[in-house]
Amino acid sequence: MDVMPYVLAGWLFVIGLYGIVTSRNLVHLVVCVTVVQASTYVLLLAVGYRSGGAAPIFADIPTSRRVVDPIVATLTLTDVVVEATVAALLLALAVQAHKRFGTLDPDEIGALRG
């Protein structure tokens, strides 16, 4: 079992989380959220990967052959679509916040609220 993808997913998560905590810009915050989301892609693909596994197209391979788990690949694709939607929504909210408050700094937006 190769542990490197799990380590990579962990580091991506930690780096993204650090960026979320220290962010002083809404666009930077959205980018850090996408980095955290990318760590889930790596983790899902690492879970579903099999050494020497074939693509899960069962029409032309023997039934005794090891294949990569197709459910994990499907979940990863779904995760990509959800992440793109969330990023688009958050960026639209950042644009509206900039139009309304004139800044992208979350601290200043909170101070303007009163």
Side-chain angles (χ1 to χ4, degrees):
M1 181 175 144
D2 190 19
V3 79
M4 189 62 179
Y6 299 105
V7 172
L8 177 63
W11 277 110
L12 278 174
F13 183 81
V14 168
I15 289 169
L17 191 61
Y18 176 78
I20 289 171
V21 170
T22 62
S23 180
R24 296 291 129 226
N25 188 316
L26 291 178
V27 175
H28 181 259
L29 184 69
V30 172
V31 170
C32 291
V33 168
T34 59
V35 170
V36 169
Q37 190 74 22
S39 72
T40 63
Y41 308 154
V42 175
L43 183 64
L44 280 171
L45 291 175
V47 166
Y49 179 75
R50 289 187 179 211
S51 255
I57 303 170
F58 297 105
D60 59 349
I61 61 172
T63 57
S64 62
R65 177 89 190 261
R66 293 180 62 160
V67 294
V68 176
D69 190 4
I71 300 298
V72 176
T74 305
L75 287 173
T76 304
L77 287 174
T78 304
D79 199 13
V80 169
V81 172
V82 169
E83 185 271 328
T85 305
V86 168
L89 177 66
L90 290 176
L91 287 173
L93 289 172
V95 168
Q96 290 301 316
H98 187 268
K99 283 182 183 178
R100 184 170 181 183
F101 300 114
T103 183
L104 288 174
D105 188 358
D107 291 336
E108 290 180 24
I109 292 172
L112 290 174
R113 188 181 297 173

